[in-house]
Structure formats: structure tokens, C-alpha cells
Amino acid sequence: MTQWTLRGATTSYVVEVPSHGQWASLVAWGPHAVADGPSLVAPVGTEHYLPRADLEPLEYAVRGVRYTTPTDLVLTGPDGSDELRPVFADSNQTGDSLELTFVDAVRAVRIVLHYRMPAGLDVVERWVSVNNDGSEELTLRRHESAGFVVPTSNGAVVRYLWGEWNSEFQQGIVELRRGRFSVDSRQGITGHSYSPFLSVADLEDPAGTTWGVQLAWSGSWELSADVDTTGQTRIQAGRAPSSLGLALAPGSSWVSPVAVGGCSVEGVDGLARVFHAYQRTFSRRVPQKALYNSWFATEFDVEAGHQLELAERAVRAGVETFVVDDGWFVGRSDDTGGLGDWDVDPVAFPDGLGAFIEDLKEVGLGFGLWVEPESVSPKSELAAKHPEWILQTAGREPLPIRNQLLLDLSRDDVADWIWETLDRLLSSYEISYLKWDANRPRLDAGDQRRDLDGKVVTNLYKILDRLRADHPQVYVEGCAGGGARVDLGMAARVDTLWPSDNTAPLDRLKIQRGFLTGYSPHLMSSWVTDAEGTHDGRERSLDFRFHVAMAGGLGIGADLSRWTDEQLDTAARHVAQYKTIRDVVAQGIVHWLEEGPTVGVQYVAADRSVVFLWDTGDSNVRGTLPTRPRRVRLVELDAAQRYRVGTEVHPGSYLMQVGVPDPRDTPTDSHCLVVETLD
Ligand code: DGJ
């Protein structure tokens, strides 16, 4: 038997290959100490009427080794068999990485399990490559990236994120003593319905050690948690299988996307911190400028003069970047036309876009532009010129959604055209911000065996990577009809993500609370608008709306021409404060303080903390009844150190034991407090 240990900041991941070489299994995954004694996941006792592999904590379960419990890889050949018996052939451990190679001699298939546990983090990246070294075409029927084994001897509590348009990132929870729970997207995009993220804790210790898995993929995917009868949970993560399977030609390789497992002894909030730290390694560490986006104010009715009026008001509020959303290009007076014809509409910008950008510059604003490069309107010139670029199944009409079709981004000529279009826009105009939208799922299957989903996502990633490399000054926002493309694949390639089109204060707070369970605040774009709630329509102050947006990357999306001077002054006060705290918000360690009628969060940086407190209760009895002071306790301070919090000065011991005033006892319904060390 051979063992390998991957060591992270506070957790270890230990795998072994038994001397028979038929599989790799998990020895331990958790805080370093779990590797110091007997394994928690090794089966005890004998198996009954089952192959041994169906019980062992397999790292990667291949059909033909495992039979009755879920498998990660099913590969068929022309003989109709779906069995493989790969045997351990080689290992390679270097730095923070490990590769384990297994070979099936009969089929000439080589499977490599890849691991990486980056130093200083508590995540393990896992992916697999499947190589057809034989002379026959094979078909991949199931192709998970990895299986993660979690010890849950009392059953599992599984947490997940669900939603729909305008209501993304709702927190769901399932108590699973036995059986399977799965979430997925078959939409060719990450989707509004579920996030590619599951976490698991022991049912008897739901606030204790928590393990989670996210998948770095922006196409169709699936994640599942399977609790067997012995109390072991196995999380599988991978691309969704297609009904025809994927062809694996002789001499070719298939590489899965990366699945990332994280573990924290500090429960779900700790797990969120583990994923935040990981996602920050992709970040260019430029906190979001305060922006204005005109979508809610004007929708498709974009007109330079009016946009400039909005811009002048945005400047008064202290905004730094002005983003023109949908509606700036020819043929785009509503959502039935224009997509694909990315030329500036001369009616909207009679003096040209360049002149408009100059006008913005004169009032001190940078310029941002909306695009939706993967889509095409049926009545566009592009659709007429290149009907062969439209994604459709031969002989069938493509299915329009939001009156639009998709370009077939699996084609390299389409990918080249999208790149050239973006490169032309970014090279012709002084653009510092690009909002990349995607407003429909990909449903027309095309030829699945040529791996449409894989090629589309790969080409999307190539364009985004090139954007970053060739136009590094452009801050890129990922958006998909709200939050339908939030995942690790995007997190690695854009600067910020748009979680939802719902900007009403109480709805938004709930969406952001869910978003932050899996994704870092530096990725959370948020605007202040006048929107009413879809789910919770109770009114909140403008301060409250600002504080919700300042907990991520702040934007304003309201129709500022309707705002009073007093509202603009309020905006200016908050935008000024945002500029002083945004690095803490983007990079701080997130601790949730309260989850009751008052919701509180503390972003902890080395030199200070930023605390947001929101009163989400009814609030209509404030001051009308006698009460006792309520305070919200802070965390992560030095007990002996004195801190200034607003107008108060207290030792850390007081702030951690007693706290700061709850907004329910104050005249406002929210606070943004900076906790600073007193020398
Ligand atoms: C959907 C996005 O989520 C909105 O913010 C806006 O950009 C519209 N698309 C524009 O069509």
C-alpha cells in the first residue's frame, strides 16, 4: 500500500492505493489531526454480497470495478461492454500536486487522477484525464471530475443554493440519512435554478466540520450527495452526461473540469471563507470602482443627451464609471433585434460613441459598455450573413428565447469573430469596464457526440482569458440574465459577477447572503435602485439600500433624474465611505454576526474591520415601547486593544462580549461601522 498526503493551511487530504492496485481510496480529509490516527472513512467489518469496491471510499469509481453504488466513469466500446478494470501504474507527487495513473490493459485506456492542494489554502482541486491509447473509438457515458468522500456516520445534512430569475442564491437544506440528492443544470449554462456547489456536514453536528464541493464549469453540470447505508457520503461533481455520450477517438484524451473540495471546522461560514480565499487567488485585487448603470433608468431607450444628464447626476453622487447597458447598438430599440450587429447606433449617439466618452471624461467618469456576444437576433444582419453560425439541430427550427438565438460558439470561426468584435470595440473606444451578458440557455443540442458543451465552454473561456491578457485595463463583469452564470470557471476569469436583477433591499440582502456562502464579496456586484421587492416588499431607507450594495462592489442603477438633492447628498455620503472601505469589503474575511431580525456581517482586514448591520424586522414600533439596549457582538478583535467604532471607543473585550448597538434601537434601519484600532 502506498499513501500520499496533500497538506493545506489547516486541513489535509490523504489518499492511498492498496497493494492490489485496483483503486485509490481516501484515508482522511479534514483538519490536519484526522490524518494522525485511524481513518474515519475506512469500512469496518466485512462486505456482504457486494464487491469490495462498492463499499470502499473510492477516489474515482469506475464501472467495472464498482457496480452497485454510484460510479464516476462509464466508458463503452464497440463491443457493447461498459466495464473497465484499470490497475495502478504510476504516481507523481511534486510540490502541491499529485497524479495517480491507472491503466486498463484490455481497452488500452489510461486514467489519470489529478490533485492539487495549493499552499496556504484549504481546498483540493481534483480533475481527471481519460486517454484512449487503443485503436477503437470509445464513448464516455458518465464522466465525473471527482468523487469526494465525507464521513457522516449519523447521516448527512446537505446544503445547496437554488433559485430562479430575480430570486437567485436561496439557501436550501436537506436532511439525508440515506439515499441521493442531486442538483444540476441541463441548460448549457450554469443556470438560475441551482449553483454548482454542495456542502455536507454530519446530521448530528450540522454546525460542525463542513465539507463542500464546487465545480469550475459554465455549461451543463451535475452535483450529487449520496449517503450509503454505512454512513458515508460521497459527493460527485462533473459535467452532465449527454444522451449520446462523448466520442473518445483513438489516441485522444478527455480532460474533465476541475472540481474543488473544501473543508472547515467552522461550519458553513468557515467553508465560505475557505472558498473566498481560494477565489481571491484569481482576483486581480482591484476593488470595483463606484459605478452607475443606466439599464433600470432607460432600458432600451438609450440617447446620448439623456445619458449625459444621468452621468452628471452620477458625478454628484461620486460615481467613477458610467456603464451604458443594452440598447446602444443598431437595431436594438427592444429585445427583438440588434444582437450580432455590434455597431454604435447613430440615432442614440449622433456625435459618435467616442464623443460621448470624451464628454464623460470631462466630468471625470470612466466608460463601461454592455455586450452579449454569444447571442444573435434572428432579424440581424449577422443572422442573414452567417445563417450557418446559428446554433440549431439540422432540419429543425432553432428555439428563440427572449426573441434571440445563440451563435454556435463551438465553431472556432465564431469564437474568432466574437474575439475580433470585442477587440475592435475595446481598441476603438476608451472602455474601462465591460459587462458581458448572456440572456438565454443553450437548448438546441446540435451534435452532442462532438462535445458541443465542452467546445462552447472552452471557447468562451479562451475569449475571456484573452480579454484579460490583451486588455488588462478593462474590468469585466459576468452577467447572465441576472445570476445564471456564477461559478468557479467564471470567478477565475472575470472581475465581478452580477448575482441577480433583483435589487430590492430585503430581497437583495437575502440573495447576497446566499451568494456569499459560496462566492467571495469581491465577485459580488450590487446596485442601489428604487426597485420594489418581489418577495419582501417592505420599504427600507436609502441608507439601507446603500449598505446592502456597499457589502459588495457598489453601483447605482436608479433613475437619478428623479432623485432629489437630498437623495443625491445621501448617495454622495455613502459613495465617499465606500471608497474608503472597498478594499476591506473585497478582501476582508467574512464573519456573519447575526441572522435574526437584525442581520450583521463583519469584514475583517489586518488593520480594521467593516461591520454592516441591517434591521430586517417590521421596525414600526421603534421607540414606542420601553426596551433594553440590544447590541451585536463582534469577532476577531484583540481583547486588550482599544477600538474606535463610529463615535464610541471600547476595548476589544467589550466589543466581542457586548458589542455595538443593534440598529433596532437606533433611528436608522442599518449601519456601516468601521472598527479602527486606537494607537
Ligand atoms: C439582463 C441583465 O441581468 C440586466 O442587468 C440587463 O443587462 C439586461 N439583461 C439587458 O438586456
Side-chain angles (χ1 to χ4, degrees):
M1 171 198 313
T2 321
Q3 250 186 36
W4 299 267
T5 297
L6 295 159
R7 204 175 153 83
T10 66
T11 52
S12 297
Y13 195 93
V14 185
V15 290
E16 70 178 19
V17 174
S19 40
H20 57 62
Q22 291 167 22
W23 55 71
S25 48
L26 183 74
V27 177
W29 179 24
H32 293 318
V34 293
D36 294 345
S39 170
L40 270 182
V41 292
V44 181
T46 53
E47 71 276 6
H48 298 293
Y49 309 112
L50 288 176
R52 185 72 191 173
D54 292 22
L55 196 64
E56 291 284 341
L58 295 200
E59 283 291 282
Y60 200 67
V62 176
R63 168 81 188 165
V65 175
R66 173 175 275 185
Y67 285 90
T68 65
T69 46
T71 48
D72 305 316
L73 181 74
V74 180
L75 194 66
T76 59
D79 59 359
S81 160
D82 64 359
E83 289 170 299
L84 288 180
R85 296 265 166 84
V87 174
F88 180 60
D90 198 10
S91 73
N92 182 16
Q93 187 166 27
T94 44
D96 57 8
S97 302
L98 170 68
E99 282 174 11
L100 302 177
T101 302
F102 292 77
V103 173
D104 179 278
V106 174
R107 275 260 192 263
V109 167
R110 199 163 26 93
I111 301 165
V112 185
L113 311 188
H114 300 266
Y115 296 83
R116 181 172 163 259
M117 195 161 197
L121 296 175
D122 282 312
V123 294
V124 54
E125 296 176 338
R126 292 189 52 194
W127 69 103
V128 64
S129 53
V130 182
N131 307 275
N132 181 355
D133 296 336
S135 54
E136 292 178 327
E137 179 169 295
L138 305 173
T139 305
L140 283 154
R141 305 277 171 192
R142 271 198 82 77
H143 35 67
E144 303 288 358
S145 294
F148 289 87
V149 173
V150 175
T152 51
S153 45
N154 302 296
V157 51
V158 182
R159 293 180 173 93
Y160 62 102
L161 294 168
W162 64 278
E164 55 190 310
W165 174 76
N166 226 32
S167 184
E168 297 87 339
F169 303 104
Q170 305 299 311
Q171 296 180 69
I173 190 160
V174 173
E175 291 188 0
L176 200 62
R177 282 186 194 280
R178 282 166 292 278
R180 188 173 177 82
F181 174 79
S182 66
V183 289
D184 68 12
S185 161
R186 308 272 158 171
Q187 302 180 17
I189 193 163
T190 323
H192 294 100
S193 311
Y194 299 101
S195 200
F197 172 36
L198 278 185
S199 76
V200 169
D202 191 287
L203 194 49
E204 301 292 313
D205 189 17
T209 303
T210 303
W211 293 262
V213 176
Q214 295 194 8
L215 187 70
W217 192 247
S218 308
S220 294
W221 56 270
E222 61 181 21
L223 261 92
S224 61
D226 193 276
V227 187
D228 73 11
T229 51
T230 70
Q232 169 188 280
T233 300
R234 198 157 179 282
I235 304 173
Q236 291 176 289
R239 287 182 46 195
S242 57
S243 46
L244 299 176
L246 302 179
L248 190 63
S252 72
S253 300
W254 181 85
V255 182
S256 77
V258 176
V260 182
C263 173
S264 170
V265 293
E266 296 171 359
V268 270
D269 284 357
L271 184 68
R273 291 189 278 277
V274 162
F275 278 110
H276 295 175
Y278 174 62
Q279 290 156 9
R280 283 190 186 116
T281 62
F282 307 130
S283 148
R284 296 191 286 184
R285 294 189 186 256
V286 186
Q288 186 177 307
K289 295 222 164 123
L291 65 81
Y292 179 79
N293 181 302
S294 58
W295 171 246
F296 285 135
T298 65
E299 295 211 339
F300 297 101
D301 205 3
V302 174
E303 191 277 311
H306 183 221
Q307 297 283 317
L308 276 176
E309 278 170 32
L310 291 166
E312 271 154 24
R313 307 212 98 201
V315 170
R316 275 180 66 183
V319 159
E320 297 158 295
T321 303
F322 187 91
V323 184
V324 175
D325 209 280
D326 201 349
W328 59 268
F329 46 102
V330 285
R332 194 63 172 169
S333 48
D334 57 28
D335 68 11
T336 64
L339 295 171
D341 299 341
W342 298 105
D343 292 316
V344 178
D345 183 353
V347 179
F349 295 93
D351 300 327
L353 188 59
F356 177 75
I357 296 172
E358 282 306 314
D359 290 342
L360 289 180
K361 254 169 94 177
E362 253 172 51
V363 292
L365 288 170
F367 174 66
L369 193 65
W370 177 97
V371 286
E372 188 176 354
E374 299 146 274
S375 288
V376 58
S377 302
K379 64 184 186 191
S380 64
E381 279 183 25
L382 182 72
K385 193 170 161 203
H386 283 295
E388 77 283 9
W389 283 6
I390 295 173
L391 186 67
Q392 64 192 110
T393 303
R396 299 194 187 276
E397 280 300 308
L399 192 67
I401 293 182
R402 206 201 189 202
N403 300 307
Q404 67 198 55
L405 302 173
L406 283 174
L407 295 174
D408 183 353
L409 185 50
S410 71
R411 295 173 60 123
D412 289 342
D413 51 358
V414 169
D416 289 345
W417 176 83
I418 290 179
W419 166 254
E420 281 155 19
T421 303
L422 294 174
D423 189 46
R424 174 175 53 81
L425 284 168
L426 296 173
S427 308
S428 314
Y429 300 105
E430 217 174 314
I431 296 172
S432 57
Y433 188 102
L434 189 74
K435 174 174 172 182
W436 182 315
D437 204 349
N439 282 300
R440 57 157 295 166
R442 172 164 41 82
L443 305 174
D444 300 277
D447 175 5
Q448 291 185 13
R449 271 175 63 81
R450 70 187 171 93
D451 193 9
L452 183 78
D453 193 63
K455 286 190 179 138
V456 167
V457 177
T458 303
N459 273 340
L460 169 72
Y461 288 169
K462 271 190 196 156
I463 300 171
L464 287 168
D465 289 341
R466 196 161 170 199
L467 255 183
R468 224 177 218 206
D470 289 10
H471 296 280
Q473 79 288 359
V474 180
Y475 196 91
V476 180
E477 173 181 0
C479 171
R485 196 149 64 186
V486 172
D487 56 69
L488 284 182
M490 291 301 284
R493 293 176 171 86
V494 299
D495 298 293
T496 189
L497 291 161
W498 179 239
S500 177
D501 282 339
N502 191 333
T503 52
L506 290 163
D507 288 353
R508 184 69 175 206
L509 181 58
K510 200 166 167 219
I511 289 166
Q512 294 188 177
R513 176 69 187 94
F515 182 98
L516 290 172
T517 64
Y519 306 100
S520 162
H522 81 270
L523 292 165
M524 191 171 75
S525 178
S526 191
W527 307 341
V528 177
T529 70
D530 297 316
E532 287 173 8
T534 307
H535 301 281
D536 191 335
R538 287 174 300 157
E539 286 192 7
R540 282 295 177 275
S541 69
L542 193 54
D543 297 324
F544 188 110
R545 287 177 185 266
F546 266 97
H547 290 155
V548 170
M550 287 159 69
L554 172 66
I556 301 179
D559 183 352
L560 290 182
S561 59
R562 293 170 191 269
W563 276 22
T564 61
D565 286 347
E566 195 188 343
Q567 284 175 303
L568 285 174
D569 289 346
T570 303
R573 183 164 47 81
H574 289 300
V575 173
Q577 187 180 25
Y578 169 72
K579 290 174 185 169
T580 67
I581 61 165
R582 60 182 157 195
D583 53 336
V584 178
V585 170
Q587 303 298 332
I589 297 167
V590 179
H591 288 268
W592 292 90
L593 304 172
E594 290 273 328
E595 306 265 5
T598 296
V599 173
V601 64
Q602 182 176 345
Y603 294 79
V604 181
D607 59 336
R608 63 211 158 114
S609 279
V610 173
V611 176
F612 292 99
L613 299 171
W614 297 279
D615 173 3
T616 68
D618 277 339
S619 300
N620 55 4
V621 293
R622 183 178 288 115
T624 58
L625 293 170
T627 181
R628 306 275 175 208
R630 290 170 286 207
R631 296 184 77 94
V632 178
R633 288 195 294 260
L634 305 186
V635 296
E636 300 282 322
L637 302 175
D638 177 346
Q641 174 70 52
R642 278 153 51 82
Y643 294 90
R644 187 194 307 282
V645 190
T647 52
E648 299 185 4
V649 173
H650 302 293
S653 54
Y654 179 86
L655 292 169
M656 290 192 289
Q657 300 291 334
V658 183
V660 295
D662 187 313
R664 286 180 290 164
D665 293 342
T666 69
T668 55
D669 55 7
S670 69
H671 293 310
C672 170
L673 304 169
V674 181
V675 185
E676 283 168 309
T677 314
L678 270 192
D679 298 327

